[in-house]
Amino acid sequence: MKILLINPSLLQATTGQYEEELEKERGVYPPLGLAYIAAVLEKAGHQVKIIDCDVEDNYEEKILSLTKEWQPQIVGFYAMTWSFRLAKNIADKIKLINPKIITVLGGPNVTSMSKLSLELGNFDFGVISEGELTIVELIDKLEGKNNLELEQIKGITFKKNGQIIITPPRPLIDNLDILPFPARHLLPMEKYFDVFSRQKHFATIIATRGCPFNCTFCDRKNRMGKLWRVRSPKNIADEIAEIQAKYGINEFMFFDDNLIVDKNWAYELFDRLKKLNIIWECRERVDLVNEEVLQKMKDAGCYRIRFGFEAGDNNVLKTIKKGITVEQSLACAKACKYVGIEIYGYYIIGAPGETKETIEKTIQLALRVEPSFAIFSKTILIPGTEIFEYAVSTNQISPTYWQDFLSGKETNGAPSLTKEKLSEPEIDDLVKLADRKFYFRPSFIIKKLLDIKSLDHLMSQAKMGMALIFKTK
């Protein structure tokens, strides 16, 4: 079959609260989820093309033109809640070209709101949670290659006789090594970048899936499960070596939530990374690292770690079930500086019960940690998260909020708590205050000027900083 995969623009979806200019300045990452789907489809003998709207000018025109000329039988979309309406609009136009084209929706939105996604969108099928095995089995069914009824295919939703059918969930993939490497050859790899990367081109890697932790503001465990699953270190190293050979890329970003849940596995991975002579960064929890771990990471090429410090008040950290303390955050920062690994910090503002005093503690924590860069975000009520359910149960937000957003009745893509001790406008102002207190320090500005490697580097960093400070919604 000819299959077209589309990544609707996610520039508004990374946080849901920044202007498009800021999202563009932060960087554009390849849609690895779609690239994995493309890889398993190619392995199954299908012809596949990907259009990534984030990096294509006039992407709608290109999608419709390709649909007319190439005539795919299936068009698949990856959509977060924030990009659902764009996916829906494109699907509508594709159906006008040829109503027989089968449209399939995958990604977080259809996973968290399966019924609504098909009710409100012009999609024939939805693929829930991990899609690699499901999509191959579904297309085999559509081609008559298996005798399964649609109801027997786990992990899908579809329309039948005017009803939305949701099948039982598919077990998560236990052995991730069975998956082929993402089909990066279908992506314009030269167009992806991060404003903070040290080299012009970099690549993202996913080494693990699942999250065993319980943060109330995150929906990751609902999509990828609580069981932490890993690829073998050899499999990861082989993928990196392939990227080096094909694209000449030697800088990598591990996109995992946690890379060091199992230290023995992590140490074996670091030994293999060290032999590849690359530089890399990752995201990690403050309670999973110490000087020994950090030194092994640095020896293997790690130069930066992105930590979710989240809050500067232990009661707030307990409320959001982060499972860390302020003291652990400070100890982590001290260890990183001792070893010589750069820190990138994430902080959330406006958790349940927050006051101006607790938010000031978060700002002060950022100043004490002194990360090379800090992102202050208001606490966003993502569908499917515990904190969203809390906001609904306490009558701070409508239970139909996301339904209204998907249908276009609601336009705020970053709802937060509005009836706690601080209103949403006050939270927005405090986010801006945090940005200004952190970035307008003379010591920070001088340090950044001393770190500048080129005029282009200076301009990109300055543009990013100004966008962050002055263009938050």
Side-chain angles (χ1 to χ4, degrees):
M1 274 192 168
K2 292 181 179 179
I3 302 170
L4 173 60
L5 301 177
I6 298 173
N7 179 39
S9 177
L10 296 181
L11 291 175
Q12 288 293 86
T14 51
T15 63
Q17 63 183 298
Y18 294 113
E19 299 286 354
E20 184 172 324
E21 181 181 345
L22 172 57
E23 298 292 2
K24 288 180 178 178
E25 291 301 325
R26 290 171 68 172
V28 182
Y29 304 154
L32 284 191
L34 274 188
Y36 267 111
I37 295 296
V40 297
L41 290 174
E42 285 192 327
K43 186 176 180 181
H46 301 289
Q47 299 177 58
V48 186
K49 294 181 184 292
I50 300 177
I51 292 183
D52 182 1
C53 298
D54 275 346
V55 294
E56 294 290 347
D57 295 327
N58 304 315
Y59 57 78
E60 184 174 304
E61 180 182 327
K62 290 181 179 179
I63 290 169
L64 299 182
S65 176
L66 183 60
T67 300
K68 292 173 184 176
E69 295 170 7
W70 194 51
Q71 299 181 356
Q73 290 105 328
I74 295 177
V75 177
F77 299 82
Y78 172 94
M80 297 179 73
T81 297
W82 298 273
S83 56
F84 173 84
R85 281 183 289 185
L86 178 57
K88 173 188 177 299
N89 292 339
I90 295 173
D92 288 341
K93 293 176 181 178
I94 286 172
K95 286 288 192 179
L96 287 175
I97 293 173
N98 182 356
K100 293 183 179 179
I101 291 176
I102 298 169
T103 51
V104 182
L105 180 67
N109 193 78
V110 72
T111 297
S112 63
M113 294 182 281
S114 305
K115 188 171 184 287
L116 274 176
S117 295
L118 261 65
E119 285 179 341
L120 299 175
N122 204 343
F123 304 104
D124 298 301
F125 295 94
V127 173
I128 300 168
S129 190
E130 283 183 326
E132 289 92 351
L133 302 184
T134 305
I135 191 65
V136 172
E137 190 169 274
L138 174 61
I139 294 176
D140 280 350
K141 162 62 181 175
L142 297 176
E143 288 190 306
K145 292 181 179 178
N146 63 43
N147 296 319
L148 295 173
E149 297 296 328
L150 287 173
E151 289 85 351
Q152 294 176 289
I153 299 176
K154 294 181 178 179
I156 66 170
T157 179
F158 61 96
K159 301 170 184 175
K160 183 176 182 181
N161 299 325
Q163 300 294 316
I164 305 296
I165 308 297
I166 302 173
T167 66
R170 180 177 295 271
L172 296 171
I173 301 169
D174 182 52
N175 179 12
L176 297 177
D177 282 7
I178 68 172
L179 298 175
F181 299 152
R184 291 182 173 86
H185 61 280
L186 299 178
L187 296 169
M189 289 295 291
E190 72 283 355
K191 293 184 178 181
Y192 299 107
F193 74 98
D194 184 272
V195 69
F196 303 110
S197 64
R198 292 191 173 180
Q199 298 179 6
K200 184 176 181 181
H201 298 299
F202 81 111
T204 50
I205 295 282
I206 297 175
T208 69
R209 293 185 181 183
C211 180
F213 301 100
N214 298 302
C215 304
T216 63
F217 53 86
C218 181
D219 68 334
R220 195 64 57 91
K221 61 181 178 290
N222 300 332
R223 294 189 277 123
M224 288 293 178
K226 285 184 65 67
L227 180 65
W228 189 70
R229 295 161 290 141
V230 301
R231 296 166 56 190
S232 68
K234 179 183 184 304
N235 184 259
I236 298 164
D238 287 346
E239 181 182 355
I240 291 173
E242 179 181 285
I243 295 169
Q244 286 179 302
K246 284 186 176 181
Y247 305 105
I249 291 174
N250 291 298
E251 178 171 356
F252 296 84
M253 175 189 291
F254 284 94
F255 226 54
D256 311 79
D257 289 308
N258 309 289
L259 204 59
I260 317 175
V261 175
D262 181 336
K263 285 185 180 178
N264 291 330
W265 174 87
Y267 285 175
E268 183 182 345
L269 174 63
F270 300 158
D271 286 342
R272 290 184 178 272
L273 296 181
K274 188 174 182 179
K275 297 174 183 177
L276 292 169
N277 194 28
I278 61 172
I279 61 173
W280 54 277
E281 64 171 301
C282 66
R283 295 182 287 187
E284 196 47 80
R285 288 174 57 93
V286 303
D287 57 339
L288 294 183
V289 298
N290 54 34
E291 284 186 16
E292 176 190 347
V293 173
L294 291 168
Q295 189 60 59
K296 287 183 178 293
M297 295 174 76
K298 184 180 181 183
D299 291 344
C302 178
Y303 71 91
R304 180 193 296 131
I305 303 177
R306 304 189 182 208
F307 292 105
F309 296 105
E310 317 303 6
D313 181 272
N314 282 330
N315 288 327
V316 173
L317 289 169
K318 186 175 180 180
T319 296
I320 61 176
K321 299 183 181 179
K322 181 66 182 181
I324 63 172
T325 65
V326 172
E327 292 72 26
Q328 286 175 314
S329 291
L330 292 171
C332 167
K334 182 179 179 181
C336 285
K337 290 174 183 178
Y338 178 79
V339 171
I341 291 180
E342 184 182 337
I343 301 170
Y344 185 117
Y346 294 100
Y347 304 86
I348 60 174
I349 290 177
E354 280 236 79
T355 64
K356 289 183 179 179
E357 289 72 27
T358 62
I359 291 171
E360 179 59 31
K361 287 183 179 180
T362 296
I363 298 172
Q364 290 305 313
L365 174 64
L367 296 176
R368 293 176 69 186
V369 168
E370 283 193 302
S372 61
F373 215 83
I375 294 293
F376 298 94
S377 303
K378 67 179 181 182
T379 308
I380 301 172
L381 305 179
I382 299 172
T385 61
E386 185 177 334
I387 200 169
F388 177 78
E389 299 304 325
Y390 164 82
V392 170
S393 67
T394 53
N395 298 315
Q396 296 185 72
I397 198 165
S398 165
T400 64
Y401 189 95
W402 286 114
Q403 178 178 348
D404 294 339
F405 181 80
L406 296 181
S407 63
K409 296 176 183 177
E410 174 60 60
T411 59
N412 178 11
S416 63
L417 301 174
T418 57
K419 295 180 182 177
E420 286 280 342
K421 297 178 181 179
L422 296 168
S423 68
E424 189 164 354
E426 287 178 301
I427 294 296
D428 289 336
D429 289 340
L430 287 166
V431 170
K432 294 176 183 178
L433 175 65
D435 285 330
R436 288 169 183 154
K437 280 192 173 184
F438 185 86
Y439 290 108
F440 279 0
R441 293 173 294 141
S443 60
F444 177 85
I445 295 170
I446 291 170
K447 185 177 186 303
K448 285 300 173 187
L449 288 173
L450 293 174
D451 287 343
I452 293 300
K453 300 174 179 63
S454 67
L455 180 59
D456 286 344
H457 186 227
L458 171 62
M459 294 304 293
S460 64
Q461 295 272 334
K463 198 172 180 181
M464 171 69 183
M466 297 303 284
L468 180 64
I469 293 168
F470 293 113
K471 294 187 179 295
T472 48
K473 291 181 180 178

